[in-house]
């Protein structure tokens, strides 16, 4: 895993979906949200609403955001790829406070490797 993280932060696209991650401390809903986020491809983004729809709970987009804030494996479970329909949305990334600059750095790093612009670029709060 360390080698894959080094590759990722060097700018190489890495698929972390094959790693077995322990989510047993979370509710079934939270586990479903985090597992579904693992299917969002490198360099792509989806909205909280789209993620809620993908798990079959189209009105639960705020609960989706709360589940993402509990992500115990930032980067491995790419919650930074989930954005608001009107901006970047939030990001805890394993930190106690929101770190939107780190989220934008990850999105821009992935964009630079794929050429796919993250939806949230125009709404970068920095």
């Amino acid at each position: 895993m360390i080698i894959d993280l080094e590759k990722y932060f060097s700018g190489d696209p890495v698929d972390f979906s094959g790693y077995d991650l322990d989510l047993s401390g979370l509710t079934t809903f939270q586990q479903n949200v985090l597992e579904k986020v693992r299917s969002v491809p490198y360099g792509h983004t989806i909205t909280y609403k789209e993620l809620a729809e993908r798990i079959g709970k189209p009105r639960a987009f705020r609960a989706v955001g709360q589940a993402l804030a509990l992500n115990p494996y930032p980067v491995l479970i790419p919650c930074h790829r989930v954005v608001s329909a009107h901006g970047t949305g939030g990001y805890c990334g394993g930190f106690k406070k929101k770190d939107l600059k780190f989220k934008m750095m990850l999105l821009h790093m992935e964009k630079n490797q794929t050429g796919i612009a993250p939806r949230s670029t125009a709404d970068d709060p920095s």
Side-chain angles (χ1 to χ4, degrees):
M1 180 184 314
I2 299 294
I3 292 170
D4 278 344
L5 283 169
E6 288 174 356
K7 287 180 182 178
Y8 177 82
F9 283 108
S10 294
D12 293 334
V14 176
D15 178 5
F16 294 106
S17 64
Y19 284 100
D20 185 28
L21 303 175
D22 180 12
L23 299 176
S24 62
L26 301 173
T27 67
T28 301
F29 175 82
Q30 293 163 341
Q31 290 176 25
N32 289 340
V33 168
L34 294 176
E35 286 296 336
K36 189 56 77 174
V37 170
R38 295 181 83 182
S39 68
V40 178
Y42 184 96
H44 290 78
T45 59
I46 63 170
T47 65
Y48 296 99
K49 182 178 180 183
E50 289 170 325
L51 182 55
E53 290 168 351
R54 289 184 185 188
I55 64 165
K57 305 278 186 188
R59 298 179 61 100
F61 49 90
R62 288 192 176 150
V64 162
Q66 292 170 344
L68 293 173
L70 298 174
N71 180 0
Y73 303 103
V75 178
L76 301 180
I77 299 176
C79 57
H80 61 277
R81 296 178 189 153
V82 183
V83 297
S84 165
H86 306 291
T88 53
Y91 184 72
C92 291
F95 306 105
K96 293 188 187 240
K97 63 178 187 163
K98 292 181 181 180
D99 190 349
L100 294 178
K101 287 182 181 181
F102 187 64
K103 178 176 184 168
M104 291 307 299
M105 188 259 326
L106 294 174
L107 290 172
H108 285 287
M109 179 181 71
E110 291 184 10
K111 173 202 160 258
N112 288 337
Q113 296 303 314
T114 63
I116 299 169
R119 292 179 210 198
S120 54
T121 303
D123 299 308
D124 185 353
S126 54

